[in-house]
Amino acid sequence: KAGVTQTPRYLIKTRGQQVTLSCSPISGHRSVSWYQQTPGQGLQFLFEYFSETQRNKGNFPGRFSGRQFSNSRSEMNVSTLELGDSALYLCASSPIAEPQETQYFGPGTRLLVL
Amino acid sequence: AQSVTQLGSHVSVSEGALVLLRCNYSSSVPPYLFWYVQYPNQGLQLLLKYTSAATLVKGINGFEAEFKKSETSFHLTKPSAHMSDAAEYFCAVTSSGGSYIPTFGRGTSLIVHP
């Protein structure tokens, strides 16, 4: 099976712009989670979607949003970008939403905000 | 609530030496524990996980970890380090009956000297 894919891999934006990142999970996986990774804060959970419904949300401002489509592909959007949004954004998928399930990560999208 | 503490943001070993990466967890219910590895410019990859079947868990690339409930620990070990083991290692916890969203530690960077 193909792994989790994320597009684009690299992105440069300026403050105030908005950005949309895409994630295609492993075929058959219904749960998709998004994380922000920075050197200062580590891995922080953004949100999780299961069967097109947001079931969990981390402690991020409303500028961060996401959605999941019927084919389980997911997008996340960040509006009004700030310098502090520069990070590696990781998407992970799992077959079902259970605590013992492994998270399968994509390579990430590295966002630089200037 | 659940949390993970990884002692030591950086661990340096010589090639061929024992690798020991420490992870302590906090969970009010029985935990599931994971170790993930992240190589440069890549996403996280599962090394091994504890799901209550056996306290000593063997993973990929010669790594293993032992679940010790009395010490609330899940330390990662490898008898002999290889240059290719140089990476960032993350411990994560979920809990049975609780959140299936993993809480990650801050990560430990393993440096292997020739």
Side-chain angles (χ1 to χ4, degrees), chain B:
Chain B
Q2 56 197 29
S3 66
V4 170
T5 302
Q6 291 184 239
L7 289 174
S9 58
H10 294 82
V11 170
S12 181
V13 300
S14 298
E15 193 173 19
L18 171 72
V19 175
L20 171 60
L21 304 183
R22 299 178 187 274
C23 171
N24 288 89
Y25 70 91
S26 172
S27 176
S28 56
V29 293
Y32 296 112
L33 294 156
F34 305 77
W35 275 101
Y36 288 87
V37 61
Q38 185 179 32
Y39 298 102
N41 298 316
Q42 295 185 28
L44 280 69
Q45 174 187 0
L46 181 73
L47 272 177
L48 50 81
K49 65 179 178 181
Y50 166 75
T51 57
S52 76
T55 56
L56 182 62
V57 183
K58 295 187 184 298
I60 62 172
N61 301 338
F63 285 93
E64 63 181 37
E66 186 171 9
F67 172 68
K68 292 187 176 181
K69 184 179 178 181
S70 60
E71 299 177 8
T72 61
S73 70
F74 191 57
H75 302 329
L76 182 70
T77 61
K78 182 174 180 178
S80 177
H82 192 273
M83 296 295 290
S84 62
D85 294 327
E88 191 86 13
Y89 292 80
F90 293 90
C91 183
V93 63
T94 61
S95 53
S96 173
S99 174
Y100 57 83
I101 303 298
T103 299
F104 286 88
R106 294 297 298 270
T108 298
S109 178
L110 177 64
I111 301 160
V112 182
H113 297 286

Side-chain angles (χ1 to χ4, degrees), chain A residues 28-98:
Chain A
H29 286 196
R30 297 169 63 191
S31 173
V32 175
S33 298
W34 288 89
Y35 297 86
Q36 182 194 67
Q37 185 179 22
T38 60
Q41 300 297 321
L43 269 165
Q44 293 187 284
F45 171 72
L46 280 156
F47 28 66
E48 184 254 351
Y49 287 87
F50 184 82
S51 294
E52 301 180 66
T53 301
Q54 185 183 94
R55 291 177 43 149
N56 290 277
K57 189 177 191 304
N59 189 26
F60 277 80
R63 301 185 296 108
F64 291 82
S65 63
R67 58 178 174 168
Q68 186 181 34
F69 302 95
S70 59
N71 61 358
S72 292
R73 189 177 71 85
S74 178
E75 290 181 345
M76 68 163 282
N77 185 78
V78 187
S79 62
T80 319
L81 284 166
E82 301 177 358
L83 295 179
D85 296 333
S86 294
L88 180 67
Y89 290 88
L90 292 165
C91 167
S93 72
S94 62
I96 56 176
E98 293 289 340

